Amino acid sequence: MKEVENMLKNRKKLMFIVSILLIVGLATYNLVNSYKAKSKNQSTISKGLKETKKDQSKNSKESSLNNIENNKVIKDREFKGEDLKYNNKSVPVLMYHSIDYEKGNELRVPKEVFKEQMGYLKQKGYTTLTLNELYSFFINNKPVPDKSIVITFDDGYKDNFENAYPVLKEFGFNATIFVITSTVDNDKNYLTSKQLKELDADGIDIESHTVNHEQLDKLTYDKQIDTLKDSKEYIEKVLGKSAKYTAYPFGKWNADTIKAVKDAGYSMVFTTASGWSNKNQDIYELHRIYVSANYNIKEFERRITNASYDISSNKIDKNN
């Protein structure tokens, strides 16, 4: 009888131990599953946050590019008043290169001479148009002030930033620099990408002048389209904006060039043909006024106040 009682007591103890083990096992199982679920949720949340940040970064970049373009649209002004002209009239487009001094080099206009010329424009009440405004004037007949003028620089010399830019900034003038893109960050005599960004942000338009300043009429169509597209894409990548305008190196072009600039996506192109720009010229063959270091202020005044200053409208300025 006593043995039976002992057996029952041992059995009860065993069942108690088993019950405890089952309870502990179940608790452990629930705890492990809870941890796994929590880890999975955290992983999902982390992944979601990363995707959200990625989307936000993408949207931020797109928004930034849109803001750049929108800001440029805002800069295209609506001119009102009585002293306006329409596209049956011409507009003088100045063509500079280097703003510096070098004895015997007429392409290098000394800074003090350049400042005198810009001071003249300011004193006489000239409005410096952007290329977008000039394009709208020719194509959409949007009126501009009667005393309108465009300032352009070819090649993209570093002195455009060091010497011309401070003067333009002082007078609040718009201007455009046609850049040889292969020189950027590669030639100490030319502009850097950092300088291009500062100029562009401050209203100085940066546009294409091909990759290596190639004489286009000596190239095949394929090579022409390559240098025009590559320079355009480089500017767009560096500045995050559309590059829509260019100027022919050496002022040379042919039928293939006209096709190439159209195919490359350019809207308006400048030559070195002497004279004021007007809609009767092809939009891809616009004339400009060459500015030489040899000109005094009287000659500068004559060229910008008399649309017929050069009777031979087909004359090509030799220095370009």
Side-chain angles (χ1 to χ4, degrees):
M1 187 67 178
K2 189 175 181 179
E3 289 179 359
V4 173
E5 289 178 354
N6 288 336
M7 187 182 295
L8 289 173
K9 286 181 181 179
N10 290 337
R11 186 177 180 182
K12 286 181 179 179
K13 287 180 180 179
L14 181 62
M15 290 180 66
F16 177 75
I17 292 170
V18 170
S19 299
I20 294 298
L21 289 174
L22 285 173
I23 292 170
V24 171
L26 182 61
T28 302
Y29 175 80
N30 290 336
L31 183 63
V32 169
N33 284 340
S34 176
Y35 177 78
K36 287 182 177 179
K38 185 177 181 181
S39 297
K40 185 177 180 181
N41 288 337
Q42 287 178 338
S43 177
T44 302
I45 291 170
S46 177
K47 184 179 179 181
L49 286 173
K50 286 181 180 179
E51 290 178 351
T52 300
K53 287 180 180 179
K54 185 177 179 181
D55 290 340
Q56 287 175 341
S57 177
K58 181 180 178 182
N59 292 336
S60 176
K61 185 177 180 181
E62 291 176 351
S63 177
S64 177
L65 291 175
N66 288 334
N67 286 338
I68 290 172
E69 291 299 326
N70 288 337
N71 287 338
K72 293 190 179 301
V73 171
I74 291 172
K75 290 179 183 178
D76 297 345
R77 297 157 289 185
E78 294 287 339
F79 298 107
K80 297 179 181 180
E82 296 180 357
D83 297 326
L84 299 177
K85 63 182 177 183
Y86 293 81
N87 66 7
N88 60 327
K89 299 288 182 66
S90 302
V91 173
V93 179
L94 300 175
M95 177 177 63
Y96 290 96
H97 290 78
S98 172
I99 304 302
D100 202 354
Y101 174 75
E102 182 182 339
K103 187 176 180 180
N105 188 345
E106 66 177 271
L107 283 176
R108 293 187 176 274
V109 176
K111 181 179 179 179
E112 58 272 18
V113 174
F114 178 71
K115 187 169 184 178
E116 181 185 21
Q117 293 167 352
M118 296 301 102
Y120 175 89
L121 296 180
K122 190 71 173 181
Q123 180 186 13
K124 297 298 182 180
Y126 277 85
T127 297
T128 53
L129 301 179
T130 66
L131 292 192
N132 284 343
E133 290 167 346
L134 184 68
Y135 180 81
S136 294
F137 171 73
F138 286 140
I139 301 302
N140 303 319
N141 199 24
K142 289 186 69 174
V144 298
D146 187 55
K147 282 188 174 181
S148 287
I149 198 164
V150 176
I151 302 170
T152 68
F153 300 84
D154 283 7
D155 303 334
Y157 295 103
K158 68 174 183 178
D159 56 57
N160 291 179
F161 181 86
E162 296 170 345
N163 297 332
Y165 176 43
V167 175
L168 295 168
K169 201 170 183 179
E170 177 183 346
F171 292 113
F173 284 168
N174 297 299
T176 296
I177 301 175
F178 295 110
V179 175
I180 303 169
T181 57
S182 67
T183 65
V184 180
D185 293 332
N186 294 316
D187 190 318
K188 65 180 182 179
N189 296 313
Y190 291 81
L191 294 165
T192 65
S193 55
K194 182 179 179 181
Q195 290 170 335
L196 293 183
K197 291 174 183 177
E198 182 175 340
L199 289 164
D200 178 72
D202 209 15
I204 306 299
D205 192 18
I206 305 300
E207 298 291 344
S208 162
H209 202 38
T210 72
V211 174
N212 295 305
H213 201 260
E214 300 94 333
Q215 186 168 320
L216 295 173
D217 64 334
K218 291 186 176 182
L219 303 180
T220 64
Y221 167 81
D222 288 341
K223 288 186 177 180
Q224 290 192 54
I225 192 72
D226 284 346
T227 191
L228 289 163
K229 273 188 174 181
D230 289 349
S231 58
K232 183 178 190 293
E233 289 172 0
Y234 175 87
I235 292 169
E236 292 177 340
K237 181 179 179 180
V238 170
L239 300 179
K241 67 152 205 170
S242 297
K244 299 181 287 187
Y245 313 114
T246 189
Y248 300 131
F250 306 103
K252 305 294 185 181
W253 75 97
N254 58 21
D256 279 345
T257 313
I258 300 297
K259 183 178 186 305
V261 291
K262 291 178 180 178
D263 292 345
Y266 290 96
S267 303
M268 183 168 65
V269 187
F270 296 87
T271 70
T272 60
S274 184
W276 290 25
S277 291
N278 62 65
K279 73 171 185 178
N280 294 325
Q281 301 156 7
D282 191 291
I283 197 68
Y284 300 105
E285 300 177 20
L286 295 175
H287 296 191
R288 289 186 288 174
I289 300 171
Y290 171 59
V291 183
S292 166
N294 297 333
Y295 298 163
N296 59 27
I297 196 65
K298 287 294 183 183
E299 176 61 16
F300 179 80
E301 178 183 10
R302 185 181 77 84
R303 287 181 167 234
I304 68 171
T305 56
N306 180 7
S308 302
Y309 77 89
D310 186 353
I311 296 176
S312 177
S313 60
N314 293 321
K315 176 184 175 183
I316 306 292
D317 281 308
K318 63 179 180 180
N319 294 295
N320 45 63

